[in-house]
Amino acid sequence: MNGQLNQVEQISNQLYGPSPSNEIKTYCENVKNYYISNIDECNILFEKLQNTNNEYFSFWLIDVIINIININYNNLRINQKEIIRNYIVYLIKNPIEIFKKYNFILNKYCQLILLFIKYDYPENINNFFTDIIQNIYVSNNNNNNNNL
């Protein structure tokens, strides 16, 4: 499936261009549906997100992750939720440069964070912020200790 993600990366500029072909839209939709149906492989989406410089592919990846959370989050196993949680916390602590460079990606990224909060902390949103701040603090202290 990694080859198909590479293909989506190559055609994502066309997908979000002025008039994408039905073939491109269908191909990208099929790849998205594959990941929605095969949650155990979603970690590759986060890895690709961290390593691409293609703004349209980044947007597409975030959109797929949003769809996975929207459609499947309540049915995920604990370890699958943990994978998603760890990647989202990582992205919060270590924002990718492309998020800062393009507002449309930053907006999609914020949508992902808010959706994650909605599903992972439905009744106790205050805990989310406490957990994130604590996580960032621990991470910063570890980084400072490593620099000594």
Side-chain angles (χ1 to χ4, degrees):
M1 215 49 209
N2 198 11
Q4 289 181 318
L5 281 178
N6 292 337
Q7 179 70 23
V8 171
E9 183 171 19
Q10 291 177 10
I11 63 175
S12 60
N13 293 356
Q14 297 169 31
L15 176 66
Y16 294 111
S19 54
S21 70
N22 286 335
E23 182 181 341
I24 287 175
K25 289 192 266 187
T26 300
Y27 183 83
C28 292
E29 188 70 22
N30 288 340
V31 175
K32 177 176 84 172
N33 289 335
Y34 172 82
Y35 284 101
I36 290 170
S37 300
N38 295 280
I39 306 301
D40 288 327
E41 297 185 35
C42 78
N43 59 330
I44 195 168
L45 300 173
F46 287 102
E47 291 167 13
K48 287 284 191 181
L49 183 59
Q50 291 172 287
N51 294 312
T52 186
N53 292 319
N54 182 324
E55 65 270 20
Y56 298 109
F57 185 54
S58 294
F59 184 88
W60 183 86
L61 288 167
I62 295 170
D63 187 60
V64 173
I65 295 165
I66 285 171
N67 278 275
I68 289 170
I69 292 172
N70 254 336
I71 294 168
N72 294 322
Y73 200 78
N74 290 328
N75 299 319
L76 296 177
R77 295 184 312 269
I78 291 172
N79 68 318
Q80 292 170 320
K81 289 180 180 180
E82 191 66 29
I83 289 169
I84 292 173
R85 184 179 303 113
N86 288 340
Y87 274 113
I88 290 179
V89 168
Y90 176 82
L91 289 175
I92 291 170
K93 292 186 326 189
N94 306 291
I96 299 171
E97 276 303 309
I98 203 163
F99 293 175
K100 301 172 190 173
K101 196 172 179 182
Y102 299 98
N103 284 338
F104 71 99
I105 297 174
L106 181 60
N107 290 339
K108 199 68 162 172
Y109 170 66
C110 290
Q111 183 183 357
L112 170 63
I113 299 301
L114 291 172
L115 186 65
F116 170 73
I117 293 169
K118 174 185 170 186
Y119 283 104
D120 209 50
Y121 291 83
E123 280 86 36
N124 39 348
I125 194 167
N126 291 334
N127 289 348
F128 171 79
F129 293 106
T130 303
D131 289 352
I132 290 300
I133 290 169
Q134 182 179 358
N135 244 331
I136 291 171
Y137 178 74
V138 168
S139 174
N140 286 340
N141 279 343
N142 288 340
N143 288 339
N144 289 338
N145 291 338
N146 290 336
N147 292 331
L148 296 178

